[in-house]
Amino acid sequence: MLVEPTGRQLGYLFHYKVNIKALEDEIDKLKNRRDDVQRLIDAAIRNSEVIGAEVKRWVSDVDKITNELEKFLKEDEAKKYAEGVLKLQQEGKFDRISYPAPPTGMHFSSSSMKDFNSRKKILNQVMEALRNEKVSVTAICGMGGIGKTAMAKEVAKRAKDEKLFREVVMVMVSQNPNVGRIQDTIAYFLGLKFDQKSEEGRAEKLRQKLENTENILLILDDLWKELDLESVGIPDGCKILLTSRDKDVCERMKSQKIFAMEVLSDDEAWNLFEEVAGLSDRTHDPYDVAKKVAKECKGLPVAIITVGRALENRDKYAWKDALHMLEKSIPDSKLKTDVEVYSRIKLRYDSLTSEQAKSCFLLCCLFPEDYDIGIETLVRYGKALRLFEETGTMELTRNRVHTLVGNLKRCSLLMDGNEKECVRMDGIVRDEAISIASRKEHGGFIFKCDNEMEVWPEIDSSEMEDCTAISLVFNKRIKKHPDSLACPNLELVSLSSTTVKYPFMLEDHVHKLELSENFFEGIKEIKVLAFHCIYVQSLPAPLQMLQNLRTLHLEYCVLGDISRIGGLEMLEILSLIGSEIQELPKEIGNLQHLKVLDMTKCKGLNRIPPGVLSRLTTLEELKIFCFDNWNSLEGNEEKTSASLDEITPLLDRDLKVLNVQIPNMEFVPRNFPSKNLTRFLINVGTAYTDEDDYLFKKCLQLRGVSADSIKQSGIYPTVKICEALTLEKVYDLKNLFPHFDEEEQDGFPWLRTLDVFKCNVMEYLVKFTSNNNRTDLHAYNSEELLKNLEGLRVRQCDSLEVVFDYREGPLAPALNELKSLKLSHLPKLMHIWKEGPQQVKTVCFQNLKTLSLDSCPSLRYLFTASIVKLLAMLESLDIVKCESMEEVVTKTKEEINNVNAESYVVSFPHLVSIKLDNLDNLCCFCSQPYAFEFPFLETLQIRKCPKLQTFM
């Protein structure tokens, strides 16, 4: 609560001999308010919002006055500072902390387009057309796989680099244009938010934005038919670059300049083929055959790349077989050019030696075009379909799928997605995948994606007979669907709405799914059932007929009564990711074969009935991160919800992956055997992480707990085995080592990332001490300490004076794997490395690449010359708001006595960037006459360093 500066309060503060005590009390209140504001700031930053200038000023003023008070807190100073403290308390009331961030613009990295003469010519012509004020619509046309998208991306990058346009936005239109998605993409990168729900209303708002914003280039990629720009909201005269396979489409779009992309010349095609097929040696056995194979690719980049990579490192027999297949695979057709492309992709598919890789590839065609396909989804579908029969556990299956996906990416049949742990399919590759999968011998897959779909598509009875997978993607409510599906071989059904991403946006009248009681009667062999972004009021009773169902996905759905899931006796995987659900039905406990229960992002989940989790004895993976309404382990009252001791027996059985949120230490069982887990994300205290990455490491986050309670609780063994550790507001923690390593002295060998935040009594992070009898820490081998640590971040620890203190200890730990060190808002920090003679070994910190310091006002220098020698791989150095820093590199007494400064060379052999910002007392980089070397320095940024007269 903020304190009003009334006359009575001031009179109390200034009363003799109580001034200091009262002032300290008010400072504590101010610091608490500052912590509350900082938490809101941190949340806003995670949401990519911009912090208000007044808020930033207030935080800076608070930090300044609290730092000054620590230096000048005397009775005769109290009145002056009390007025300032109370004033800041009064000002610390903000209507809002942050504002939506301005659009950052679309990023275009270097494209995959090769620097061939034929491509440079087109590129220059397109750039010239874009510079022409009289040309508003420019088009690139050419057959599929010719490289139109790569060319468009290169144009976008050039246009951005040359500042030809204020903004460049590229959007995929594709075969089935989704006007809403096109509007969303353009609006996002222009910083526009839609309040309107109708496409017409959104179009009008987008039109106004584009008309009022100068110098924008819109790139519309992959048009298959004419696009109504007015319905999207793109006004006449807007600068547009489009790509299409069809010149007629370009003309109907009123393109003033159309540039046709042709196939590569023979020399260009061969150079590209040599590169992707690895044919650097002309004496290579299949070299002559390779020339013929390359010629059969007809100069098409996509064909050259797919065929070349398919034959890389293969023997002469594979090359000769491929040549035969290519020579015979091209029918005489008026669409010969497209057939050529698809036949090359089919060849790449046929050349896959693994049937599992082929199955994994075909699964990917069940998703919409330009869609980020979760690798974990492939894992769970494949597990249910028994595509990887010899893999037993989920972890082994996941390893197999990641291996297969990696192979498919290397073959150019898949590519990295825009989101983590996702892949995508190129449009042409996907077309051929659908063509292959739709054939009877490959499962007769049926895939329909139609924004206007309102009724279940008509499917021929012969197709239904052979079909093994059906995937429907729609934007409107399906008003009519078959009473039952007569698909005796059907194994997978996926129904998805692509118009929304979040369940709270689902509308009953639009996205509600009502299936007849007989719907499931004809598909009793089904193994996978997936609903995505659908309003499910209740599941029909005949669902329980699906006794072969192994994977059930109800993701990002609004869920009503789903208790009938409990009747699916063979169910192995149940995913409710992101769905709106209040209570997990007690019937879930009946699933005696369940391996995975995933309720990640189910933020409305407030109750899990007691006894449900303990009955899931075959569970391998449990993910319930957002749920924290656990029943206490203390007391004899009747349980109203699940408690964490239900998980304990599962950890002694098959449970290997755990993602869980725990309110505080009292809820952790004493015998919590986390050592059996292969991966986990465990948060004790307030949760700030929303885990998306299925391959999260062994992560432990401890917030708002005491150091002693950690050591005395069942969570302590987890501290010792985690790979990523976060410590926030851990009370009474004066150091990390030796405090957490006094008994075992094993040095935390598994820890890779460490984040320490607001541990306000911590004085140092690591300290080595010794006496005449023994070394207290790591006498046996100091190099074991933190030997795998890669990232260290320490923030807002008010008492921290030293990070690494080696003055009295044995040889320092190597810390050879540390790559990133970030220190910020440490008011008392005096030393990062505080060492005695010979304490820091010559191999310490040898892989450190990034060093960042922000708001460390007591730090007078950063390195000694001897420390610099250790940092051979340092690439980036940032120093901001370190008011007391006088020089970056200094010289110790030992160095002064032992080294001739004028002949001493200090080298930063890999340093690329130096940033020096707001350093009020910085006089020079180094006051000693050392010879400095920066052979790779590219950026030197110096800002607000008023005393800096010379860099060296």
Side-chain angles (χ1 to χ4, degrees), residues 253-322:
M253 292 297 296
K254 301 178 181 178
S255 302
Q256 295 152 284
K257 293 284 186 179
I258 301 175
F259 300 101
M261 288 189 69
E262 304 294 343
V263 298
L264 299 175
S265 68
D266 289 345
D267 288 342
E268 292 172 339
W270 175 243
N271 290 337
L272 179 59
F273 191 83
E274 269 191 314
E275 179 183 337
V276 297
L279 297 174
S280 57
D281 183 4
R282 289 181 175 270
T283 63
H284 193 266
D285 193 28
Y287 191 82
D288 293 336
V289 177
K291 293 282 285 188
K292 295 178 182 179
V293 170
K295 189 173 183 180
E296 286 296 325
C297 292
K298 311 298 182 185
L300 287 167
V302 69
I304 292 169
I305 292 171
T306 54
V307 173
R309 288 183 177 168
L311 293 172
E312 186 178 11
N313 297 323
R314 301 294 295 274
D315 59 28
K316 63 180 179 181
Y317 304 107
W319 281 88
K320 291 179 179 179
D321 184 53

Side-chain angles (χ1 to χ4, degrees), residues 804-831:
F804 303 107
D805 190 345
Y806 304 137
R807 287 174 297 169
E808 303 175 34
L811 288 177
L815 287 167
N816 278 340
E817 297 303 317
L818 188 66
K819 295 179 175 63
S820 174
L821 176 59
K822 297 182 179 180
L823 308 171
S824 65
H825 296 88
L826 305 173
K828 291 188 177 181
L829 182 68
M830 297 291 291
H831 304 279

Side-chain angles (χ1 to χ4, degrees), residues 300-346:
L300 287 167
V302 69
I304 292 169
I305 292 171
T306 54
V307 173
R309 288 183 177 168
L311 293 172
E312 186 178 11
N313 297 323
R314 301 294 295 274
D315 59 28
K316 63 180 179 181
Y317 304 107
W319 281 88
K320 291 179 179 179
D321 184 53
L323 177 60
H324 174 74
M325 294 170 65
L326 288 169
E327 290 174 338
K328 302 298 181 182
S329 64
I330 310 299
D332 185 14
S333 167
K334 64 180 181 180
L335 297 177
K336 182 175 180 179
T337 53
D338 276 347
V339 174
E340 287 173 354
V341 177
Y342 293 127
S343 66
R344 269 67 186 174
I345 298 170
K346 178 63 164 59

Side-chain angles (χ1 to χ4, degrees), residues 455-652:
V455 298
W456 194 277
E458 293 186 6
I459 304 173
D460 185 83
S461 59
S462 61
E463 290 183 80
M464 297 286 281
E465 182 73 22
D466 301 323
C467 179
T468 61
I470 293 177
S471 178
L472 303 182
V473 184
F474 48 87
N475 276 346
K476 297 185 178 180
R477 181 177 179 179
I478 301 295
K479 299 176 181 177
K480 182 180 178 182
H481 54 74
D483 185 55
S484 65
L485 286 177
C487 298
N489 297 308
L490 192 65
E491 294 187 328
L492 182 151
V493 173
S494 174
L495 304 178
S496 175
S497 166
T498 59
T499 57
V500 293
K501 295 182 179 179
Y502 306 103
F504 63 80
M505 296 176 63
L506 295 175
E507 300 177 51
D508 184 354
H509 67 285
V510 176
H511 302 99
K512 188 174 181 179
L513 182 67
E514 295 178 343
L515 299 176
S516 71
E517 292 293 313
N518 300 321
F519 184 82
F520 295 110
E521 284 190 0
I523 55 173
K524 296 181 180 179
E525 295 300 316
I526 190 172
K527 309 294 192 305
V528 178
L529 180 62
F531 293 166
H532 184 84
C533 289
I534 293 177
Y535 191 104
V536 182
Q537 186 171 5
S538 64
L539 294 170
L543 177 76
Q544 298 178 340
M545 299 169 54
L546 306 180
Q547 290 303 304
N548 292 306
L549 190 67
R550 299 187 184 114
T551 290
L552 176 60
H553 279 199
L554 302 174
E555 297 184 342
Y556 298 97
C557 296
V558 174
L559 302 177
D561 180 10
I562 60 170
S563 59
R564 291 191 172 108
I565 293 175
L568 301 172
E569 294 182 2
M570 302 306 295
L571 194 66
E572 296 177 350
I573 299 167
L574 174 60
S575 176
L576 308 177
I577 293 176
S579 287
E580 187 177 296
I581 180 174
Q582 296 181 350
E583 181 174 331
L584 189 70
K586 64 179 183 299
E587 289 82 0
I588 298 299
N590 299 332
L591 302 175
Q592 295 303 298
H593 292 87
L594 196 67
K595 296 177 180 291
V596 177
L597 176 58
D598 193 343
M599 294 182 286
T600 304
K601 300 183 185 178
C602 292
K603 296 182 179 179
L605 183 68
N606 55 42
R607 182 172 183 265
I608 298 175
V612 171
L613 297 178
S614 60
R615 293 162 60 196
L616 301 175
T617 56
T618 60
L619 209 58
E620 296 178 17
E621 302 183 1
L622 177 61
K623 300 181 179 182
I624 44 177
F625 189 75
C626 286
F627 177 76
D628 65 355
N629 195 23
W630 298 99
N631 211 87
S632 174
L633 298 175
E634 301 177 355
N636 298 319
E637 67 274 7
E638 184 179 354
K639 290 184 177 181
T640 58
S641 186
S643 57
L644 283 163
D645 58 358
E646 294 185 35
I647 298 177
T648 301
L650 303 180
L651 290 168
D652 288 326

